[in-house]
Amino acid sequence: MLQNEDSGKAVMFFDSAFYTIVKPGIGDLIDRYKFKSDVNYRRHNMELTINHLDSILLLLSTDRLKEKYAKQYVTSMFNKGDILFELREYQEAYKYYYQGKIIARTIMDRCTTSGYSYRLGMVSYKQGKYQKSTMHFRQCFEDLLYCSDDFQNFAMSQEVLSNLSLSYFKQGIADSAVIYNNRALAFIKENESKYPDKKVYIESARGVLYGNRADLFFRSGDLKNAKRSLLKSIAINSKKGFDNQDAQITLLKLGELYFNSNQLPQAMEVAQKLKFSLDSIKNPVAEIGLSKLNWNYFDKLRQEDSAYIYLQEYLKLKDSQDAVNKKLVMADFEKEFQLIEEQNSYIRLSKDNDLKKIMLFVVVLFSLMTLVILFLLWKKRKASRRSISALTRLNKQITFQNVQLEQTLADLMQSSKDKDRILKVVAHDLRNPVGAIANISTILLDEIQFSEEHAKLVELIKESSWQSIEMINDLLTANTANSSFAMKLEWMDMSELIFKCVDQLRFKAEEKGQLIKLVIGSDVRIKGDREKLGRVMSNLIINAIKFSPLNAEIRVGMKQEGETIELFIEDNGIGIPASFNENVFDMFGDSKRPGTAGEQPFGIGLPFSKQIVEAHGGKIWFESEINKGTTFYIRLPKGEETFQ
């Protein structure tokens, strides 16, 4: 049993652990209230115990939660009944027992029902109805076989076996009492190794059984074994933290044994020990027995004055205890349960009557609605006849319009095919002159000694021409050129590619007085198609130049984002209207606009860029604000770690 100081520490430790739960659920709250109710019960603070049990019942007030946490709900009902029983509010206690039983039977859980049978057994035993207590304890033990194999079930099972032994003993059926006492001890021995942290409880239970066994020996006249069992019981439960009240009862039995065997000094010695124990731990039953033992002792010594004093004390304590027990003995819980059942039956009948009234109202209402619906259907039928001819004419019109729409769709598809064919023809015709420019620039670089500046310009013409040829080739193969199967993948330095693209297009920016600013951290290698990614960067930089005003600044940069790299091309140009957002990356969309210096748009750069980026497993998107600028972003998977 926890002392006040120990229980206070236990509550503090439990609360500190509870508050670490971020979002405690219903089960967590139930465990908290259950723990606090147990602690306050050990402190004999019945008011707080009931408050915590009421918190559990209030928490589980809905039918859905009662069903989900049925076992916790029923256990709380039984526990509250136990507290009310101890407070001698028997009628209220029986109500909670009965309601708990109803819920347990509703969920068809025999394990939970065992708590009900156990409590009926205890009530019957305290009322002296030992035959009924035997019946209820046997039912409880059978129900416990359906419980999980845990400590709670172990504790209940051994206690029920012990109580069965006592019930048979009270009926004078000694052989059955011995059998169940032995079964209880064997049950403890068989299962105690499963619960090494419960040694105090297990030893206390064994000590109780030893004390009960002494009664069996005493009745059979075996005083030697009776004394031995009593001493074993006292040695266990007189220790701190064990069942000290049972030790007091066992001391009383030992004193009576000494007295009945005419060992008066030993009887008085035991009486002194018992009195010392009762000074610190109250036990009404033991106090009554001690007064009786002292009265008999002094009466036998013919010390009438002392004997009279203890007789008066005994009668006073006995009358007080009898008055307390009178209400319990007179209470007929079976009759109470019958009254509760009748009340519940009356409530169910009332509910059934209310339900029947509702059903009758629904039937009448449904009949009226049926009549109204039939009337409306009759009117609708008359109106539908007039509408059939109109619907027929409308159907013919719709059919004619569908034919026209199908023809229009066919014309649009043919127009799209013609447009693709014309585009490919134009691209095919452009390939020869652009190829000639590329070849001529190559010859010029090989055969003529240009100045450094002029050689650089011719080199730009050559590279731009070959890029144009690649673009024309992609255009001729429609959407297939930029699939992942057409990529020429190789390890490449992405910062070097960006430098090269910017360097090629710097002269174009200078024509409009623009400055291209590079924002690049460390170098990054990725696996990709150098030429196609270069074309993507060139397309985006050209767009930034095209749609930025004179003397503007364009920022081109790259940064690492975990296992990816992110490229950006930021301008301060005219921006992209929100109405263009949906088709900026469409090959033949209507989002084309001239540049700030009248540059003509072609509308194929961004669609190709999107296909190329996605073929690399990447993503391209933009953010824009009218007259403030646009930023295009590209995210690509990174190949290797950054190097300096």
Side-chain angles (χ1 to χ4, degrees):
M1 182 179 293
L2 285 174
Q3 302 300 321
N4 285 339
E5 183 179 354
D6 294 335
S7 61
K9 291 180 181 178
V11 171
M12 292 177 59
F13 180 80
F14 186 91
D15 283 340
S16 64
F18 177 82
Y19 289 126
T20 61
I21 303 173
V22 179
K23 292 182 179 180
I26 298 293
D28 300 317
L29 292 171
I30 292 172
D31 290 341
R32 185 187 185 201
Y33 290 133
K34 176 67 169 61
F35 177 81
K36 290 197 171 184
S37 71
D38 291 343
V39 170
N40 283 291
Y41 178 74
R42 295 187 185 101
R43 291 173 171 174
H44 302 288
N45 189 333
M46 299 307 182
E47 183 178 356
L48 277 179
T49 303
I50 289 179
N51 287 343
H52 290 306
L53 291 172
D54 284 340
S55 296
I56 297 176
L57 298 177
L58 182 63
L59 195 65
L60 304 178
S61 57
T62 66
D63 291 338
R64 184 182 66 82
L65 290 175
K66 284 180 185 177
E67 182 178 354
K68 184 176 181 181
Y69 298 97
K71 189 167 185 178
Q72 292 90 330
Y73 184 81
V74 172
T75 302
S76 299
M77 295 287 285
F78 287 161
N79 288 343
K80 185 172 180 181
D82 293 340
I83 303 303
L84 292 170
F85 192 90
E86 287 192 32
L87 296 174
R88 303 185 189 95
E89 297 179 20
Y90 301 120
Q91 189 173 8
E92 285 299 309
Y94 296 153
K95 287 181 181 179
Y96 279 93
Y97 289 158
Y98 183 81
Q99 291 170 5
K101 179 198 74 168
I102 295 299
I103 299 295
R105 288 187 176 177
T106 300
I107 63 174
M108 303 296 287
D109 185 352
R110 287 192 62 178
C111 176
T112 306
T113 309
S114 65
Y116 176 72
S117 301
Y118 171 79
R119 283 157 177 85
L120 293 190
M122 293 300 297
V123 172
S124 298
Y125 186 86
K126 290 176 181 178
Q127 290 182 326
K129 301 174 181 178
Y130 302 117
Q131 190 173 0
K132 288 187 176 181
S133 69
T134 301
M135 177 187 69
H136 292 308
F137 285 136
R138 287 176 67 90
Q139 181 63 51
C140 176
F141 191 77
E142 291 178 10
D143 292 338
L144 286 170
L145 297 177
Y146 293 87
C147 295
S148 57
D149 187 14
D150 56 16
F151 177 75
Q152 183 178 359
N153 183 39
F154 161 76
M156 178 74 83
S157 297
Q158 71 84 21
E159 184 176 347
V160 169
L161 290 171
S162 176
N163 290 343
L164 277 168
S165 176
L166 290 174
S167 297
Y168 280 118
F169 177 77
K170 292 293 185 179
Q171 295 177 69
I173 308 175
D175 53 348
S176 295
V178 170
I179 289 172
Y180 278 100
N181 186 275
N182 289 336
R183 281 187 64 181
L185 286 169
F187 183 80
I188 291 174
K189 185 175 182 180
E190 181 182 348
N191 292 278
E192 64 180 330
S193 60
K194 298 178 183 177
Y195 314 105
D197 57 330
K198 302 292 184 180
K199 289 184 178 179
V200 172
Y201 173 87
I202 291 171
E203 281 301 307
S204 295
R206 187 179 275 120
V208 171
L209 286 166
Y210 287 149
N212 294 341
R213 173 174 280 194
D215 292 335
L216 297 171
F217 286 128
F218 188 82
R219 177 170 291 185
S220 65
D222 189 352
L223 299 183
K224 181 178 180 181
N225 280 322
K227 177 182 175 182
R228 183 180 300 165
S229 295
L230 290 172
L231 291 173
K232 287 172 68 175
S233 177
I234 294 168
I236 294 172
N237 281 330
S238 61
K239 291 184 288 188
K240 183 180 179 181
F242 285 69
D243 194 343
N244 298 150
Q245 288 189 326
D246 181 76
Q248 291 172 336
I249 298 297
T250 310
L251 269 172
L252 180 61
K253 292 178 183 179
L254 181 62
E256 291 172 347
L257 184 147
Y258 283 137
F259 180 83
N260 291 327
S261 58
N262 207 28
Q263 300 179 57
L264 299 184
Q266 291 88 336
M268 185 50 60
E269 183 182 350
V270 170
Q272 292 297 324
K273 288 182 180 179
L274 180 56
K275 184 179 184 305
F276 179 76
S277 174
L278 289 171
D279 288 339
S280 57
I281 301 173
K282 297 299 179 184
N283 188 334
V285 176
E287 288 176 358
I288 294 172
L290 179 60
S291 298
K292 183 179 180 181
L293 179 62
N294 284 326
W295 162 42
N296 290 330
Y297 173 79
F298 287 108
D299 183 60
K300 193 160 191 173
L301 293 179
R302 305 210 178 262
Q303 298 181 18
E304 295 177 356
D305 292 341
S306 298
Y308 180 75
I309 292 172
Y310 284 110
L311 172 61
Q312 292 296 107
E313 181 180 303
Y314 167 73
L315 292 175
K316 180 181 178 181
L317 292 174
K318 186 73 166 55
D319 290 344
S320 176
Q321 187 67 27
D322 288 344
V324 170
N325 292 334
K326 184 177 180 181
K327 188 177 179 182
L328 169 62
V329 173
M330 292 181 65
D332 189 344
F333 68 87
E334 292 180 347
K335 185 177 179 180
E336 292 291 340
F337 288 160
Q338 185 178 356
L339 290 173
I340 296 171
E341 178 64 36
E342 290 174 356
Q343 291 173 0
N344 287 340
S345 298
Y346 175 77
I347 293 171
R348 285 197 298 271
L349 286 174
S350 298
K351 289 182 178 179
D352 290 341
N353 288 333
D354 292 340
L355 182 61
K356 288 176 181 178
K357 290 178 182 178
I358 294 172
M359 290 297 294
L360 180 60
F361 175 76
V362 170
V363 169
V364 172
L365 182 62
F366 182 76
S367 300
L368 291 174
M369 290 178 62
T370 303
L371 291 174
V372 172
I373 291 170
L374 289 173
F375 176 73
L376 293 174
L377 287 173
W378 176 74
K379 289 190 67 177
K380 191 69 175 177
R381 184 179 180 186
K382 289 183 66 178
S384 65
R385 289 177 179 175
R386 293 192 297 268
S387 302
I388 288 175
S389 58
L391 289 172
T392 303
R393 290 194 301 272
L394 182 61
N395 187 50
K396 290 180 179 179
Q397 291 177 2
I398 292 172
T399 302
F400 177 74
Q401 289 176 354
N402 283 339
V403 172
Q404 286 185 321
L405 288 173
E406 288 175 0
Q407 183 60 44
T408 302
L409 181 60
D411 293 342
L412 286 173
M413 292 178 65
Q414 185 61 42
S415 175
S416 177
K417 291 179 180 178
D418 292 342
K419 187 175 182 180
D420 289 347
R421 187 168 60 255
I422 292 170
L423 183 62
K424 290 184 178 181
V425 169
V426 172
H428 185 273
D429 291 343
L430 284 173
R431 184 164 55 178
N432 290 333
V434 173
I437 294 172
N439 290 330
I440 291 170
S441 60
T442 301
I443 294 171
L444 289 174
L445 284 171
D446 291 340
E447 297 185 359
I448 299 178
Q449 296 293 325
F450 290 108
S451 65
E452 183 178 351
E453 182 179 357
H454 288 165
K456 188 174 182 181
L457 291 174
V458 175
E459 181 66 32
L460 288 175
I461 293 171
K462 173 186 173 184
E463 291 184 0
S464 298
S465 299
W466 284 114
Q467 287 179 357
S468 298
I469 290 172
E470 288 293 330
M471 188 180 300
I472 290 169
N473 289 336
D474 287 341
L475 195 58
L476 286 172
T477 56
N479 293 327
T480 61
N482 298 311
S483 69
S484 60
F485 299 104
M487 297 292 104
K488 298 177 182 177
L489 301 178
E490 60 179 323
W491 289 106
M492 51 183 288
D493 189 333
M494 200 62 201
S495 56
E496 180 184 331
L497 179 65
I498 295 172
F499 280 125
K500 186 174 181 181
C501 292
V502 170
D503 195 44
Q504 288 177 353
L505 296 172
R506 200 180 296 279
F507 77 94
K508 193 170 184 67
E510 290 173 353
E511 290 177 358
K512 298 178 73 172
Q514 297 168 341
L515 174 65
I516 301 178
K517 184 177 180 181
L518 286 171
V519 184
I520 297 177
S522 56
D523 297 338
V524 179
R525 286 170 57 82
I526 71 168
K527 195 168 187 178
D529 189 312
R530 186 189 304 274
E531 186 276 324
K532 286 183 171 57
L533 289 177
R535 191 190 315 163
V536 171
M537 291 299 298
S538 297
N539 282 340
L540 296 177
I541 295 171
I542 289 171
N543 282 348
I545 295 169
K546 184 188 298 183
F547 295 109
S548 293
L550 300 177
N551 303 317
E553 181 180 281
I554 297 168
R555 297 174 73 246
V556 179
M558 176 181 70
K559 60 181 179 178
Q560 297 186 56
E561 294 285 346
E563 296 301 318
T564 63
I565 62 168
E566 187 173 288
L567 312 173
F568 66 88
I569 297 90
E570 177 186 347
D571 64 52
N572 298 295
I574 60 178
I576 299 173
S579 58
F580 287 5
N581 289 354
E582 296 295 328
N583 51 18
V584 164
F585 294 106
D586 289 348
M587 181 70 74
F588 302 111
D590 56 356
S591 59
K592 306 177 185 67
R593 292 182 298 164
T596 55
E599 299 96 329
Q600 291 300 312
F602 296 101
I604 62 174
L606 288 177
F608 276 130
S609 297
K610 185 173 185 294
Q611 291 185 12
I612 291 169
V613 170
E614 291 180 350
H616 282 80
K619 178 183 177 183
I620 183 170
W621 73 99
F622 67 90
E623 296 174 359
S624 184
E625 191 173 351
I626 295 297
N627 296 325
K628 289 190 178 181
T630 302
T631 303
F632 275 87
Y633 297 94
I634 298 172
R635 183 171 291 144
L636 295 169
K638 187 176 68 172
E640 293 183 350
E641 295 293 333
T642 303
F643 60 89
Q644 300 297 328

